[in-house]
Protein backbone atom coordinates (compact mmCIF):
# COMPACT_ATOMS: atom_id res chain seq x y z
CA UNK A 1 0.00 0.00 0.00
CA UNK A 2 1.17 3.52 -0.88
CA UNK A 3 0.21 6.21 1.62
CA UNK A 4 -0.16 9.81 0.49
CA UNK A 5 -0.17 13.11 2.36
CA UNK A 6 -1.81 16.09 0.66
CA UNK A 7 -0.55 19.53 1.68
CA UNK A 8 -3.25 21.94 0.58
CA UNK A 9 -6.73 20.40 0.39
CA UNK A 10 -8.38 23.10 -1.70
CA UNK A 11 -10.15 22.59 -5.02
CA UNK A 12 -7.44 20.38 -6.54
CA UNK A 13 -6.50 18.62 -3.30
CA UNK A 14 -10.13 17.74 -2.63
CA UNK A 15 -10.43 16.31 -6.15
CA UNK A 16 -7.26 14.25 -5.68
CA UNK A 17 -8.60 12.68 -2.49
CA UNK A 18 -12.04 12.06 -3.98
CA UNK A 19 -10.74 10.52 -7.22
CA UNK A 20 -8.37 8.23 -5.32
CA UNK A 21 -11.45 6.97 -3.47
CA UNK A 22 -13.96 6.91 -6.37
CA UNK A 23 -11.60 5.27 -8.87
CA UNK A 24 -9.66 3.12 -6.42
CA UNK A 25 -10.24 -0.05 -8.45
CA UNK A 26 -8.77 1.18 -11.73
CA UNK A 27 -6.03 3.17 -9.97
CA UNK A 28 -4.83 0.17 -7.94
CA UNK A 29 -4.97 -2.04 -11.05
CA UNK A 30 -2.78 0.40 -12.98
CA UNK A 31 -0.43 1.14 -10.10
CA UNK A 32 -0.12 -2.47 -8.96
CA UNK A 33 -0.77 -1.39 -5.38
CA UNK A 34 -3.49 0.31 -3.34
CA UNK A 35 -3.06 4.09 -2.93
CA UNK A 36 -4.73 5.85 -0.02
CA UNK A 37 -4.66 9.32 1.50
CA UNK A 38 -3.49 9.13 5.10
CA UNK A 39 -3.64 12.84 5.93
CA UNK A 40 -4.53 16.18 4.37
CA UNK A 41 -3.23 19.56 5.52
CA UNK A 42 -5.56 22.59 5.53
CA UNK A 43 -5.46 26.11 6.93
CA UNK A 44 -9.04 26.07 8.21
CA UNK A 45 -10.15 22.91 9.98
CA UNK A 46 -13.69 24.26 10.45
CA UNK A 47 -14.42 24.17 6.72
CA UNK A 48 -16.24 21.03 5.57
CA UNK A 49 -14.56 19.51 2.51
CA UNK A 50 -16.85 16.49 2.24
CA UNK A 51 -13.96 14.06 2.56
CA UNK A 52 -13.58 10.98 4.71
CA UNK A 53 -9.88 11.50 5.46
CA UNK A 54 -7.88 12.76 8.41
CA UNK A 55 -7.32 16.53 8.23
CA UNK A 56 -4.78 18.61 10.14
CA UNK A 57 -3.54 22.19 10.15
CA UNK A 58 0.02 21.12 11.04
CA UNK A 59 2.18 20.38 8.00
CA UNK A 60 4.53 18.28 10.12
CA UNK A 61 1.77 15.70 10.53
CA UNK A 62 2.63 14.79 6.94
CA UNK A 63 6.32 15.63 6.77
CA UNK A 64 7.26 13.77 9.96
CA UNK A 65 5.06 10.72 9.38
CA UNK A 66 7.31 7.83 8.36
CA UNK A 67 4.33 5.91 6.94
CA UNK A 68 3.64 8.53 4.28
CA UNK A 69 5.44 7.65 1.06
CA UNK A 70 4.38 10.50 -1.24
CA UNK A 71 3.83 14.16 -0.41
CA UNK A 72 1.44 15.97 -2.77
CA UNK A 73 2.17 19.70 -2.54
CA UNK A 74 -0.85 21.80 -3.58
CA UNK A 75 -0.47 24.75 -1.23
CA UNK A 76 0.71 27.23 -3.87
CA UNK A 77 3.10 30.12 -3.40
CA UNK A 78 6.87 30.01 -3.60
CA UNK A 79 8.87 30.45 -0.40
CA UNK A 80 6.78 28.43 2.07
CA UNK A 81 6.15 25.71 -0.50
CA UNK A 82 9.89 25.51 -1.22
CA UNK A 83 10.66 24.91 2.45
CA UNK A 84 7.96 22.25 2.70
CA UNK A 85 9.15 20.41 -0.42
CA UNK A 86 12.79 20.59 0.69
CA UNK A 87 11.88 19.00 4.01
CA UNK A 88 9.88 16.27 2.28
CA UNK A 89 12.81 15.43 0.00
CA UNK A 90 15.28 15.44 2.88
CA UNK A 91 12.98 12.96 4.63
CA UNK A 92 13.22 10.68 1.62
CA UNK A 93 9.60 11.14 0.58
CA UNK A 94 8.62 11.29 -3.08
CA UNK A 95 6.99 14.57 -4.11
CA UNK A 96 4.25 15.42 -6.58
CA UNK A 97 3.43 19.09 -7.11
CA UNK A 98 1.18 21.25 -9.27
CA UNK A 99 2.97 24.42 -8.18
CA UNK A 100 4.16 26.25 -11.32
CA UNK A 101 5.41 29.30 -9.39
CA UNK A 102 7.60 27.11 -7.19
CA UNK A 103 9.14 25.46 -10.25
CA UNK A 104 9.55 28.72 -12.14
CA UNK A 105 11.95 29.87 -9.42
CA UNK A 106 13.43 26.69 -7.91
CA UNK A 107 13.28 23.85 -10.46
CA UNK A 108 17.03 23.37 -10.76
CA UNK A 109 17.59 23.41 -7.00
CA UNK A 110 14.81 20.86 -6.59
CA UNK A 111 16.29 18.65 -9.31
CA UNK A 112 19.60 18.62 -7.44
CA UNK A 113 17.86 17.69 -4.17
CA UNK A 114 15.74 14.99 -5.81
CA UNK A 115 18.60 13.03 -7.40
CA UNK A 116 17.61 9.74 -5.77
CA UNK A 117 13.97 10.55 -5.02
CA UNK A 118 10.95 10.68 -7.32
CA UNK A 119 9.77 14.23 -8.04
CA UNK A 120 6.90 14.72 -10.49
CA UNK A 121 5.03 17.84 -11.62
CA UNK A 122 2.81 17.07 -14.62
CA UNK A 123 -0.05 19.19 -13.26
CA UNK A 124 2.09 22.32 -13.05
CA UNK A 125 1.63 23.07 -16.77
CA UNK A 126 -1.71 22.99 -18.61
CA UNK A 127 -3.70 21.10 -15.97
CA UNK A 128 -4.94 17.82 -17.40
CA UNK A 129 -2.82 17.91 -20.58
CA UNK A 130 0.14 15.49 -20.27
CA UNK A 131 2.60 17.92 -21.84
CA UNK A 132 5.44 17.30 -19.35
CA UNK A 133 5.58 13.58 -20.13
CA UNK A 134 5.20 14.24 -23.84
CA UNK A 135 8.09 16.69 -23.90
CA UNK A 136 10.36 14.92 -21.41
CA UNK A 137 9.78 11.35 -22.57
CA UNK A 138 7.69 11.06 -25.74
CA UNK A 139 9.78 13.56 -27.73
CA UNK A 140 13.12 12.80 -26.10
CA UNK A 141 14.71 11.74 -29.44
CA UNK A 142 14.16 15.21 -30.89
CA UNK A 143 15.91 18.52 -30.83
CA UNK A 144 13.03 20.83 -29.91
CA UNK A 145 12.84 23.66 -32.41
CA UNK A 146 9.98 25.57 -30.82
CA UNK A 147 7.20 25.54 -28.25
CA UNK A 148 4.16 27.77 -28.65
CA UNK A 149 1.19 27.55 -26.37
CA UNK A 150 -2.05 28.92 -25.05
CA UNK A 151 -1.28 28.28 -21.39
CA UNK A 152 -3.84 30.43 -19.59
CA UNK A 153 -7.54 29.65 -19.94
CA UNK A 154 -8.74 32.92 -18.41
CA UNK A 155 -7.03 35.08 -21.02
CA UNK A 156 -8.05 32.75 -23.83
CA UNK A 157 -11.69 32.88 -22.73
CA UNK A 158 -11.61 36.67 -22.60
CA UNK A 159 -10.02 37.08 -26.04
CA UNK A 160 -12.47 34.56 -27.53
CA UNK A 161 -15.46 36.45 -26.14
CA UNK A 162 -14.08 39.81 -27.23
CA UNK A 163 -13.85 38.43 -30.77
CA UNK A 164 -17.16 36.57 -30.88
CA UNK A 165 -19.39 38.89 -28.85
CA UNK A 166 -17.83 42.27 -29.65
CA UNK A 167 -17.53 43.21 -25.98
CA UNK A 168 -14.86 45.42 -24.42
CA UNK A 169 -11.94 44.21 -22.33
CA UNK A 170 -13.44 45.69 -19.13
CA UNK A 171 -16.83 44.09 -19.75
CA UNK A 172 -15.45 40.61 -20.42
CA UNK A 173 -13.09 40.82 -17.44
CA UNK A 174 -16.07 41.42 -15.14
CA UNK A 175 -17.92 38.52 -16.73
CA UNK A 176 -14.89 36.24 -16.30
CA UNK A 177 -14.70 37.22 -12.63
CA UNK A 178 -18.43 36.57 -12.16
CA UNK A 179 -18.01 33.12 -13.73
CA UNK A 180 -15.03 32.31 -11.52
CA UNK A 181 -12.53 32.18 -14.40
CA UNK A 182 -10.71 35.30 -13.20
CA UNK A 183 -9.67 36.25 -9.68
CA UNK A 184 -10.67 39.50 -7.98
CA UNK A 185 -7.11 40.60 -8.79
CA UNK A 186 -6.68 39.12 -12.29
CA UNK A 187 -3.12 40.38 -12.89
CA UNK A 188 -1.49 36.96 -12.64
CA UNK A 189 -3.64 35.63 -15.50
CA UNK A 190 -4.24 38.63 -17.78
CA UNK A 191 -0.74 40.03 -17.20
CA UNK A 192 0.94 36.91 -18.60
CA UNK A 193 2.71 35.79 -15.41
CA UNK A 194 0.86 32.49 -15.07
CA UNK A 195 1.77 31.55 -18.65
CA UNK A 196 5.36 32.68 -18.10
CA UNK A 197 5.84 30.31 -15.16
CA UNK A 198 4.61 27.42 -17.29
CA UNK A 199 6.76 28.41 -20.25
CA UNK A 200 9.90 28.45 -18.09
CA UNK A 201 9.22 24.89 -16.94
CA UNK A 202 8.78 23.65 -20.51
CA UNK A 203 11.86 25.55 -21.69
CA UNK A 204 13.98 23.86 -19.03
CA UNK A 205 12.90 20.43 -20.23
CA UNK A 206 13.39 21.31 -23.90
CA UNK A 207 16.58 23.39 -23.71
CA UNK A 208 18.07 23.27 -20.22
CA UNK A 209 17.60 27.05 -19.88
CA UNK A 210 17.76 28.27 -16.28
CA UNK A 211 15.84 31.54 -16.53
CA UNK A 212 13.58 33.25 -14.02
CA UNK A 213 10.39 35.19 -14.80
CA UNK A 214 12.30 38.46 -14.40
CA UNK A 215 14.67 37.45 -17.22
CA UNK A 216 12.12 37.12 -20.00
CA UNK A 217 9.64 39.24 -21.93
CA UNK A 218 6.20 39.14 -20.26
CA UNK A 219 3.22 41.17 -21.43
CA UNK A 220 -0.51 40.66 -20.98
CA UNK A 221 -3.76 41.41 -22.77
CA UNK A 222 -4.88 44.47 -20.81
CA UNK A 223 -4.48 46.87 -23.76
CA UNK A 224 -6.33 44.81 -26.38
CA UNK A 225 -9.32 46.68 -27.83
CA UNK A 226 -12.09 46.02 -30.33
CA UNK A 227 -10.09 48.03 -32.89
CA UNK A 228 -7.33 45.42 -32.63
CA UNK A 229 -9.83 42.56 -32.89
CA UNK A 230 -11.32 44.14 -36.02
CA UNK A 231 -7.90 44.56 -37.66
CA UNK A 232 -7.12 40.91 -36.91
CA UNK A 233 -10.38 39.75 -38.54
CA UNK A 234 -9.87 41.93 -41.62
CA UNK A 235 -6.40 40.53 -42.31
CA UNK A 236 -7.08 36.89 -41.42
CA UNK A 237 -5.65 36.81 -37.89
CA UNK A 238 -6.86 35.97 -34.39
CA UNK A 239 -5.37 37.36 -31.19
CA UNK A 240 -4.11 34.92 -28.55
CA UNK A 241 -1.94 35.21 -25.46
CA UNK A 242 0.96 32.86 -26.21
CA UNK A 243 4.00 31.53 -24.44
CA UNK A 244 6.78 31.09 -27.00
CA UNK A 245 10.12 29.31 -26.78
CA UNK A 246 12.21 29.17 -29.92
CA UNK A 247 15.74 28.01 -30.62
CA UNK A 248 17.86 30.15 -32.93
CA UNK A 249 21.39 28.77 -33.38
CA UNK A 250 22.88 28.74 -29.85
CA UNK A 251 20.25 31.04 -28.35
CA UNK A 252 16.73 30.47 -27.06
CA UNK A 253 14.14 33.22 -27.02
CA UNK A 254 11.48 33.06 -24.31
CA UNK A 255 8.50 35.39 -24.34
CA UNK A 256 4.87 35.68 -23.29
CA UNK A 257 2.61 38.24 -24.94
CA UNK A 258 -0.48 38.75 -27.06
CA UNK A 259 0.03 37.66 -30.67
CA UNK A 260 -1.67 37.98 -34.00
CA UNK A 261 -1.81 34.45 -35.48
CA UNK A 262 -3.05 33.41 -38.90
CA UNK A 263 -6.55 31.92 -38.64
CA UNK A 264 -5.52 28.67 -40.34
CA UNK A 265 -2.86 27.81 -37.74
CA UNK A 266 -3.89 24.87 -35.55
CA UNK A 267 -3.37 26.77 -32.33
CA UNK A 268 -5.47 29.70 -33.58
CA UNK A 269 -8.55 27.47 -33.43
CA UNK A 270 -8.30 26.91 -29.65
CA UNK A 271 -11.07 28.93 -28.00
CA UNK A 272 -12.68 29.49 -24.61
CA UNK A 273 -10.96 28.29 -21.45
CA UNK A 274 -9.09 25.48 -23.18
CA UNK A 275 -5.31 25.25 -23.40
CA UNK A 276 -3.15 23.96 -26.25
CA UNK A 277 0.60 23.64 -26.74
CA UNK A 278 2.35 23.14 -30.07
CA UNK A 279 5.78 21.50 -29.98
CA UNK A 280 7.97 21.24 -33.08
CA UNK A 281 10.69 18.59 -33.03
CA UNK A 282 13.36 18.28 -35.68
CA UNK A 283 12.32 14.68 -36.46
CA UNK A 284 8.65 14.45 -35.52
CA UNK A 285 7.56 17.83 -36.87
CA UNK A 286 4.67 19.64 -35.19
CA UNK A 287 2.60 17.97 -32.46
CA UNK A 288 -0.32 19.66 -30.69
CA UNK A 289 -1.54 18.92 -27.16
CA UNK A 290 -5.05 20.13 -26.30
CA UNK A 291 -7.32 19.97 -23.28
CA UNK A 292 -8.48 21.61 -20.06
CA UNK A 293 -5.72 23.68 -18.51
CA UNK A 294 -7.28 24.08 -15.07
CA UNK A 295 -10.09 22.83 -12.86
CA UNK A 296 -10.12 20.49 -9.90
CA UNK A 297 -10.70 17.14 -11.61
CA UNK A 298 -8.56 17.85 -14.69
CA UNK A 299 -5.57 18.96 -12.62
CA UNK A 300 -6.11 16.15 -10.10
CA UNK A 301 -6.02 13.67 -13.01
CA UNK A 302 -2.46 14.76 -13.78
CA UNK A 303 -1.47 14.65 -10.10
CA UNK A 304 -2.76 11.09 -9.73
CA UNK A 305 -1.04 10.00 -12.94
CA UNK A 306 2.24 11.06 -11.32
CA UNK A 307 1.36 9.18 -8.13
CA UNK A 308 0.68 6.04 -10.19
CA UNK A 309 4.00 6.44 -12.04
CA UNK A 310 5.84 6.62 -8.72
CA UNK A 311 3.95 3.61 -7.35
CA UNK A 312 4.91 1.60 -10.43
CA UNK A 313 8.58 2.43 -10.68
CA UNK A 314 9.71 4.35 -7.61
CA UNK A 315 12.54 6.63 -8.76
CA UNK A 316 11.78 8.13 -12.14
CA UNK A 317 14.07 9.62 -14.76
CA UNK A 318 15.84 12.91 -13.93
CA UNK A 319 13.25 15.49 -12.93
CA UNK A 320 13.85 17.74 -15.96
CA UNK A 321 14.66 14.82 -18.24
CA UNK A 322 18.44 15.09 -18.57
CA UNK A 323 21.59 14.39 -16.55
CA UNK A 324 24.02 16.50 -18.55
CA UNK A 325 23.61 19.86 -20.29
CA UNK A 326 21.36 19.76 -23.33
CA UNK A 327 22.50 20.82 -26.81
CA UNK A 328 25.83 22.27 -25.73
CA UNK A 329 25.72 25.76 -24.28
CA UNK A 330 22.40 27.36 -25.15
CA UNK A 331 21.93 30.86 -23.80
CA UNK A 332 18.91 33.09 -23.37
CA UNK A 333 18.44 35.53 -26.24
CA UNK A 334 18.24 39.16 -25.16
CA UNK A 335 14.76 40.62 -25.55
CA UNK A 336 16.12 43.46 -27.72
CA UNK A 337 17.44 40.91 -30.24
CA UNK A 338 14.07 39.22 -30.87
CA UNK A 339 12.70 39.87 -34.33
CA UNK A 340 9.12 39.68 -35.48
CA UNK A 341 6.45 41.34 -37.52
CA UNK A 342 4.50 43.91 -35.53
CA UNK A 343 1.07 45.50 -35.40
CA UNK A 344 0.65 49.00 -33.94
CA UNK A 345 -2.44 51.03 -33.06
CA UNK A 346 -1.61 54.72 -32.88
CA UNK A 347 -4.26 57.24 -31.83
CA UNK A 348 -3.50 60.56 -33.54
CA UNK A 349 -5.10 63.95 -33.97
CA UNK A 350 -6.86 64.12 -37.31
CA UNK A 351 -4.84 66.79 -39.09
CA UNK A 352 -2.67 67.34 -42.14
CA UNK A 353 0.89 65.97 -42.21
CA UNK A 354 0.51 63.26 -39.57
CA UNK A 355 1.00 60.31 -41.93
CA UNK A 356 4.05 61.84 -43.58
CA UNK A 357 5.74 62.51 -40.24
CA UNK A 358 5.02 59.00 -38.96
CA UNK A 359 6.26 57.41 -42.19
CA UNK A 360 9.54 59.30 -41.81
CA UNK A 361 9.98 58.07 -38.23
CA UNK A 362 9.33 54.46 -39.30
CA UNK A 363 12.02 54.84 -41.96
CA UNK A 364 14.53 56.33 -39.51
CA UNK A 365 14.11 53.28 -37.26
CA UNK A 366 14.57 50.76 -40.11
CA UNK A 367 10.95 49.62 -39.96
CA UNK A 368 9.02 48.88 -43.15
CA UNK A 369 5.24 49.23 -43.19
CA UNK A 370 3.31 46.32 -44.72
CA UNK A 371 -0.32 47.46 -44.30
CA UNK A 372 -2.07 50.52 -42.86
CA UNK A 373 -5.70 51.34 -42.11
CA UNK A 374 -7.21 54.51 -40.71
CA UNK A 375 -10.31 54.32 -38.52
CA UNK A 376 -12.12 57.27 -36.89
CA UNK A 377 -11.78 57.24 -33.10
CA UNK A 378 -13.61 60.48 -32.22
CA UNK A 379 -14.55 63.77 -33.84
CA UNK A 380 -10.98 65.02 -33.92
CA UNK A 381 -8.89 61.84 -33.77
CA UNK A 382 -8.25 58.64 -35.66
CA UNK A 383 -6.68 55.25 -35.01
CA UNK A 384 -3.91 54.25 -37.38
CA UNK A 385 -3.71 50.45 -37.59
CA UNK A 386 -0.33 49.44 -38.98
CA UNK A 387 1.44 46.15 -39.58
CA UNK A 388 5.15 45.94 -40.33
CA UNK A 389 7.55 43.63 -42.07
CA UNK A 390 10.06 41.79 -39.83
CA UNK A 391 11.86 44.19 -37.49
CA UNK A 392 14.04 44.08 -34.39
CA UNK A 393 12.42 44.46 -30.98
CA UNK A 394 14.85 47.22 -30.01
CA UNK A 395 13.95 49.22 -33.11
CA UNK A 396 10.23 48.94 -32.46
CA UNK A 397 10.61 49.90 -28.81
CA UNK A 398 12.81 52.88 -29.63
CA UNK A 399 10.35 54.02 -32.26
CA UNK A 400 7.40 53.75 -29.87
CA UNK A 401 9.27 55.88 -27.33
CA UNK A 402 9.74 58.57 -29.95
CA UNK A 403 6.21 58.39 -31.35
CA UNK A 404 4.44 58.66 -28.00
CA UNK A 405 6.12 62.04 -27.39
CA UNK A 406 4.79 63.59 -30.61
CA UNK A 407 2.28 66.39 -30.06
CA UNK A 408 -0.29 64.81 -32.39
CA UNK A 409 -0.15 61.37 -30.71
CA UNK A 410 -2.82 61.16 -28.01
CA UNK A 411 -1.74 58.01 -26.15
CA UNK A 412 1.09 55.52 -26.03
CA UNK A 413 0.84 53.30 -29.12
CA UNK A 414 -0.45 49.76 -28.59
CA UNK A 415 1.82 47.09 -30.07
CA UNK A 416 1.06 43.42 -30.73
CA UNK A 417 3.59 41.01 -32.22
CA UNK A 418 2.65 38.92 -35.25
CA UNK A 419 3.71 35.25 -35.34
Amino acid sequence: MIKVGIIGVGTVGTSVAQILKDNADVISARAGVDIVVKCGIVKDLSKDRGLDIKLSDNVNDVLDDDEIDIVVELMGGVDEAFEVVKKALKSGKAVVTANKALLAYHRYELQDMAKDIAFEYEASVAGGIPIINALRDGLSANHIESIMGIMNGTSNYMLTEMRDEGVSYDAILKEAQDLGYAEADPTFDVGGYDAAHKLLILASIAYGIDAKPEDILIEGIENISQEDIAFAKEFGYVIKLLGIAKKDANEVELRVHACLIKQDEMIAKIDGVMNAISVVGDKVGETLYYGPGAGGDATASAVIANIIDIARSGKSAPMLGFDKPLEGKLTLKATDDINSKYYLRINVSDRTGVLAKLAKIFEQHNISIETMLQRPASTNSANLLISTHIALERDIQNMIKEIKELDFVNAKPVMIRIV
Side-chain angles (χ1 to χ4, degrees):
M1 178 180 290
I2 297 289
K3 295 184 179 180
V4 174
I6 304 173
I7 300 178
V9 188
T11 300
V12 177
T14 298
S15 288
V16 169
Q18 194 63 53
I19 293 171
L20 283 171
K21 179 181 178 181
D22 292 346
N23 291 2
D25 53 349
V26 69
I27 289 170
S28 63
R30 287 173 171 157
V33 64
D34 291 337
I35 300 172
V36 299
V37 178
K38 184 176 182 187
C39 183
I41 304 301
V42 298
K43 289 184 177 179
D44 182 5
L45 283 170
S46 66
K47 182 179 178 180
D48 182 17
R49 288 163 173 80
L51 297 172
D52 185 22
I53 62 171
K54 174 188 173 183
L55 294 176
S56 168
D57 59 3
N58 184 354
V59 70
N60 291 319
D61 285 346
V62 166
L63 297 177
D64 293 339
D65 187 337
D66 292 336
E67 291 189 351
I68 288 178
D69 306 290
I70 302 173
V71 172
V72 177
E73 185 276 305
L74 301 171
M75 61 192 297
V78 177
D79 295 337
E80 185 180 0
F82 186 43
E83 295 304 316
V84 165
V85 170
K86 282 198 299 184
K87 185 171 181 180
L89 292 172
K90 287 178 180 177
S91 299
K93 300 183 188 300
V95 172
V96 175
T97 184
N99 191 334
K100 54 192 169 287
L102 169 67
L103 295 169
Y105 284 97
H106 295 297
R107 57 199 180 281
Y108 285 92
E109 296 159 84
L110 291 170
Q111 176 166 255
D112 288 342
M113 284 186 276
K115 283 188 180 298
D116 300 314
I117 304 167
F119 188 111
E120 296 292 345
Y121 52 101
E122 183 64 70
S124 65
V125 179
I129 305 172
I131 184 61
I132 301 293
N133 277 340
L135 191 58
R136 188 178 62 181
D137 301 324
L139 300 177
S140 55
N142 288 256
H143 290 281
I144 303 302
E145 296 178 354
S146 67
I147 300 168
M148 183 168 67
I150 295 169
M151 303 181 194
N152 182 267
T154 299
S155 294
N156 202 45
Y157 170 79
M158 291 172 61
L159 290 170
T160 301
E161 292 297 298
M162 287 178 71
R163 180 197 68 201
D164 293 347
E165 303 300 327
V167 294
S168 69
Y169 172 85
D170 290 338
I172 197 58
L173 174 58
K174 183 179 186 305
E175 180 182 313
Q177 290 171 324
D178 291 342
L179 291 170
Y181 295 148
E183 302 290 339
D185 179 359
T187 305
F188 196 64
D189 290 320
V190 300
Y193 301 102
D194 172 73
H197 290 167
K198 298 169 183 175
L199 180 68
L200 288 167
I201 295 168
L202 297 182
S204 286
I205 298 169
Y207 305 113
I209 289 288
D210 185 7
K212 301 292 191 291
E214 294 79 12
D215 301 328
I216 70 171
L217 172 62
I218 304 173
E219 295 176 3
I221 65 169
E222 302 96 323
N223 294 321
I224 304 296
S225 75
Q226 278 301 320
E227 288 84 0
D228 309 322
I229 302 286
F231 177 91
K233 284 183 179 179
E234 185 160 349
F235 287 92
Y237 293 105
V238 294
I239 300 177
K240 298 290 185 183
L241 180 74
L242 294 183
I244 298 171
K246 188 187 300 182
K247 187 174 71 168
D248 180 13
N250 291 322
E251 293 184 314
V252 176
E253 60 184 68
L254 299 178
R255 46 194 171 109
V256 173
H257 51 73
C259 296
L260 286 160
I261 317 167
K262 281 294 185 182
Q263 291 174 352
D264 56 359
E265 294 286 336
M266 287 195 296
I267 205 162
K269 305 179 192 302
I270 308 303
D271 290 335
V273 297
M274 304 304 281
N275 282 195
I277 299 172
S278 164
V279 181
V280 177
D282 65 336
K283 300 304 180 185
V284 73
E286 182 178 18
T287 56
L288 183 71
Y289 306 85
Y290 166 83
D297 285 353
T299 306
S301 173
V303 169
I304 294 170
N306 282 161
I307 294 172
I308 292 171
D309 284 343
I310 293 169
R312 284 172 173 166
S313 58
K315 175 68 176 78
S316 61
M319 175 188 147
L320 294 173
F322 54 90
D323 284 318
K324 62 181 182 178
L326 286 175
E327 308 213 29
K329 293 184 178 179
L330 292 176
T331 58
L332 183 65
K333 177 178 278 192
T335 298
D336 279 351
D337 294 333
I338 291 170
N339 60 69
S340 176
K341 291 185 174 183
Y342 295 85
Y343 156 87
L344 295 105
R345 170 166 46 90
I346 308 172
N347 183 267
V348 298
S349 299
D350 193 2
R351 66 192 201 209
T352 304
V354 165
L355 291 179
K357 289 178 182 177
L358 283 175
K360 186 65 174 177
I361 292 171
F362 272 72
E363 181 182 354
Q364 289 169 347
H365 288 275
N366 303 309
I367 296 166
S368 173
I369 294 173
E370 183 172 30
T371 62
M372 184 174 69
L373 298 175
Q374 182 171 327
R375 294 286 186 263
S378 66
T379 304
N380 299 312
S381 70
N383 281 321
L384 300 179
L385 311 177
I386 300 168
S387 68
T388 77
H389 293 284
I390 292 176
L392 272 175
E393 182 79 15
R394 71 163 58 84
D395 291 337
I396 284 285
Q397 295 295 350
N398 288 335
M399 185 184 72
I400 289 173
K401 287 178 185 176
E402 181 174 347
I403 288 176
K404 74 177 183 179
E405 300 300 328
L406 297 172
D407 61 358
F408 55 79
V409 173
N410 302 317
K412 181 180 178 180
V414 170
M415 179 268 284
I416 306 174
R417 297 163 190 86
I418 301 172
V419 298

